[in-house]
Amino acid sequence: DQQYVKLNTNESPYPPSAGVIAALNNKEAADLRLYSDPECKELKKALAGYYGVEPENVYVGNGSDEALNFAFLSYATDGRGVAFADITYGFYPVFADLYHIPVQIVPLKPDFSIDPKDYYGLNKTIVIANPNAPTGLALSRDEMEGIIKANPDSVVVVDEAYVDFGAESCVELTKTYPNLLVVQTFSKSRSMAGARLGYAIGDAALIQDLEAIRFSTNPYNVNRLTLRAGAAALAEQDYYDANCAAIVDTRADTKRRLEALGFTCTDSRANFLFARHPAADGGDLYRRLKERGVLVRRFDAPRIGDYIRITIGTRAQMDALLERLEGLL
Ligand code: PMP
């Protein structure tokens, strides 16, 4: 019923690159009568080239949610269970519930950081979002490597949905550690949330497990237009790198301005800020911002109920947010 400033689902404020728009042309549209390539050959090859791995090390799926879903189903249903943080991406407990997987919750420290040692020798599938959501905090590649090394008989899934906004990727480590699966997405840094395109990089045996599930459920999981758009996006990485740099700048500026208003923010390495104000209730802030046309995300959950998660948009969107917050406070 009104034009919202939409800062609630961590989408990019910038459009896809020109090559992506051009790839979605009339010919591609006419070819929609044909099924998509179930082996996603062109895109797998492009991703493999980009990361210096082989196509057999690449899984391509319908958003990274699908890759994560299949990772839970594939690796974590062996009876040993799965471990993840108490505050992390909300879909992990949903997948675990769906597949009746026993869960070991590993609490974050009071400052929301992860102690890597808490994950050593757990002997079960481990899932870590890095940077974590909704805190935005990231572990270094060395810290992640410690966890991967300390769990040689378990799969470690690293969800890097937000890695391009200032964290260290573990993709390189997949060449050394056969128990590591890194999951990434085109939804955030590559401005394609609506195209639904995610991928995973890992040892060929791990990828085969995901492929087995895909071929047994939905072999045409990525549509023709999205396959094309994904390959086109990879060819224009400079454009996306510049967008990420702009978002990182806007994040720093927004953080400063929020702190000047009395907010405390975590040290986010993602395209969002996680902030609380000592004098404001989180639910109240969320509702009042919504009444004033700004959507942010708030989680009604232990330890984080007073925080709001704010997607980094354009400078103008951030101005609108800050102006409403000033009025409210
Ligand atoms: N992982 C994390 C941590 C996320 O926040 C999201 C976005 N909701 C996803 C994965 C899934 O993103 P997508 O399915 O759009 O790739």
Side-chain angles (χ1 to χ4, degrees), residues 29 43 45 56 60 95 140 165 179 198 206 211 216 224 234 246 269 291 309 311 313 320:
L43 184 57
K45 202 166 150 235
E56 64 179 16
V60 174
F95 294 140
S140 69
F165 303 101
N179 61 324
L206 290 184
E211 291 289 19
S216 304
R224 296 184 71 89
L234 281 178
R269 304 300 167 94
E291 283 161 16
R309 191 195 67 189
T311 301

Side-chain angles (χ1 to χ4, degrees), residues 9-10 62-68 88-92 129-133 159-162 183-188 192-194 196-199 272 297 309:
T9 50
N10 300 339
N62 193 298
S64 58
D65 278 338
E66 186 196 62
L68 292 165
T88 189
Y89 185 36
F91 237 139
Y92 305 157
N130 196 46
N132 196 11
D159 177 353
E160 295 190 347
Y162 300 104
V183 178
Q184 290 201 11
T185 179
F186 282 72
S187 293
K188 316 290 180 185
M192 280 175 50
R196 311 306 302 128
L197 184 59
Y199 55 99
F272 54 80
R297 187 84 195 268
R309 191 195 67 189

Side-chain angles (χ1 to χ4, degrees), residues 281-283 287 297-307:
D281 171 84
R287 271 187 304 277
R297 187 84 195 268
R298 186 251 174 176
F299 300 88
D300 188 10
R303 297 173 74 188
I304 56 171
D306 275 337
Y307 281 79

